[in-house]
Amino acid sequence: MGWAIALHGGAGDIPLSLPADRRLPREVALHHCLEIGVAALKAQKHPLDVVELVVRELENHPNFNAGKGSVLTSRGTVEMEACIMDGNSKKCGAVSGLTTVVNAISLARLVMDNTPHIYLGFDGAEAFAREQGVETVDSSHFITPENIERLKQAKEADRVQIDYTQPIQKDEKSESPTGNEDSQIGTVGCVAVDKNGNLAAATSTGGFVNKMVGRIGDTPIIGAGTYANNLCAVSATGRGETIIRGTVSRDVAALMEYKGLSLKEAAAYVVESNPRGDVGLVAVSAKGEVTMQFNTTGMFRACATEDGCSEVAIWPSVQD
């Protein structure tokens, strides 16, 4: 048994031809966030504090779809959501519909710590943020030129747009009249376990480009996008509606608990049981095991363990 950490910056149809100016900043950010998480675990910080710290860093990075880089709704606004969960106590907190909170994950932590509830959304969550004195800014802070352009492309093509793909071409409009590309791609998340087997998970997102105002994805839903118990911690990414229907993160824990599967076996079963191209996840076990699995083209991800294993990757590797 030893500490372990894994994090992701979203899964999806990430082309091998992804331009360097889109790939390299994310890789650098993954390395940076992994180093922060490892340092915190080595300093014997509780995993709950570690995952919050790492996800805050990911939220502050404009090239990930959370916090500063959140994608825009059909009205050109941001609606951010996040969730955090402690494995041993199963205490958890979640928020949705945030428009001014700089770090959604920290507000989710405050919901967990300072209220009798689990989930706050929209105006109520914003009011709670003001009561708690968390950092807020004008909503324009979160709107980046890249995401304005992506929303424009999505509207021109009359569909939502998957993150990490090449810009939509106008002659592609007829390819997806039913909106099958409405996947919630680009979520960020982190899972961690310390040397004592304490587990925690955290996930944050802006949703997907051109989503309906008021849409809630898998990220803040316990057992869908985020889950932790005394066996494992899981953070999922991909098509939100698929992850909700499949209770993806809880299923990993359930297979370990009821079927006796290993972390890797359980994660593989869950990922492959869902439609191809829809699901990715990172997970750690109480034993210090780590797995990062996906059935999409790629997933921005990173992990490290106490025994010296470390990886930062996007596309499938040999061990995958």
Side-chain angles (χ1 to χ4, degrees):
M1 182 182 294
W3 59 258
I5 184 171
L7 55 122
H8 68 78
D13 183 20
I14 307 172
L16 292 172
S17 59
L18 187 71
D21 64 340
R22 299 190 72 197
R23 173 177 55 83
L24 292 176
R26 292 178 172 93
E27 289 180 330
V28 169
L30 290 174
H31 277 284
H32 172 66
C33 291
L34 183 63
E35 289 174 356
I36 288 174
V38 168
L41 285 168
K42 287 182 176 178
Q44 299 185 18
K45 298 289 186 182
H46 192 279
L48 201 60
D49 297 324
V50 174
V51 297
E52 180 186 1
L53 177 66
V54 170
V55 170
R56 281 178 62 96
E57 285 293 317
L58 289 164
E59 288 175 335
N60 293 338
H61 197 285
N63 285 309
F64 289 116
N65 177 16
K68 174 64 175 173
S70 292
V71 297
L72 306 182
T73 70
S74 58
R75 292 184 188 170
T77 57
V78 293
E79 290 185 352
M80 300 169 286
E81 50 194 24
C83 181
I84 191 167
M85 187 167 188
D86 175 64
N88 284 342
S89 67
K90 292 188 182 177
K91 289 183 63 179
C92 48
V95 289
S96 282
L98 300 182
T99 59
T100 67
V101 176
V102 172
N103 293 112
I105 195 63
S106 291
L107 188 63
R109 175 74 183 272
L110 289 170
V111 171
M112 182 186 80
D113 288 342
N114 295 349
T115 80
H117 308 306
I118 290 175
Y119 198 160
L120 294 179
F122 297 88
D123 290 347
E126 287 282 339
F128 177 68
R130 292 191 292 272
E131 292 170 5
Q132 295 294 304
V134 303
E135 184 179 4
T136 59
V137 293
D138 187 87
S139 60
S140 61
H141 164 83
F142 303 101
I143 300 175
T144 65
E146 179 182 0
N147 284 332
I148 292 174
E149 179 61 26
R150 290 174 61 202
L151 177 61
K152 178 183 176 183
Q153 293 170 355
K155 284 184 173 292
E156 288 176 349
D158 193 26
R159 70 187 194 191
V160 297
Q161 183 182 346
I162 298 174
D163 205 8
Y164 303 131
T165 56
Q166 298 301 302
I168 296 172
Q169 301 301 316
K170 290 185 179 180
D171 59 3
E172 293 178 359
K173 289 183 183 180
S174 61
E175 292 182 9
S176 183
T178 60
N180 288 330
E181 276 73 16
D182 61 344
S183 53
Q184 187 262 61
I185 307 293
T187 303
V188 303
C190 181
V191 292
V193 59
D194 64 17
K195 63 181 181 180
N196 297 315
N198 297 307
L199 291 147
T203 316
S204 182
T205 190
F208 60 78
V209 184
N210 204 24
K211 67 179 180 180
M212 292 176 65
V213 170
R215 180 261 186 185
I216 294 171
D218 66 288
T219 291
I221 298 178
I222 299 300
T226 311
Y227 190 73
N229 64 6
N230 63 341
L231 296 175
C232 66
V234 185
S235 175
T237 175
R239 192 183 297 269
E241 282 65 22
T242 295
I243 294 170
I244 293 171
R245 293 186 190 104
T247 58
V248 165
S249 60
R250 170 57 189 162
D251 269 15
V252 175
L255 286 167
M256 293 179 69
E257 183 175 357
Y258 301 127
K259 299 285 284 185
L261 271 60
S262 69
L263 177 72
K264 188 172 183 179
E265 290 170 339
Y269 182 89
V270 170
V271 168
E272 294 310 315
S273 295
N274 282 279
R276 179 156 291 279
D278 279 10
V279 174
L281 62 82
V282 296
V284 292
S285 75
K287 297 178 181 179
E289 302 160 316
V290 62
T291 190
M292 305 185 292
Q293 304 204 26
F294 51 96
N295 64 20
T296 55
T297 304
M299 179 172 72
F300 283 93
R301 63 198 190 277
C303 70
T305 61
E306 188 169 354
D307 62 12
C309 293
S310 182
E311 179 185 12
V312 175
I314 304 171
W315 297 283
S317 54
V318 175
Q319 57 264 43
D320 291 332

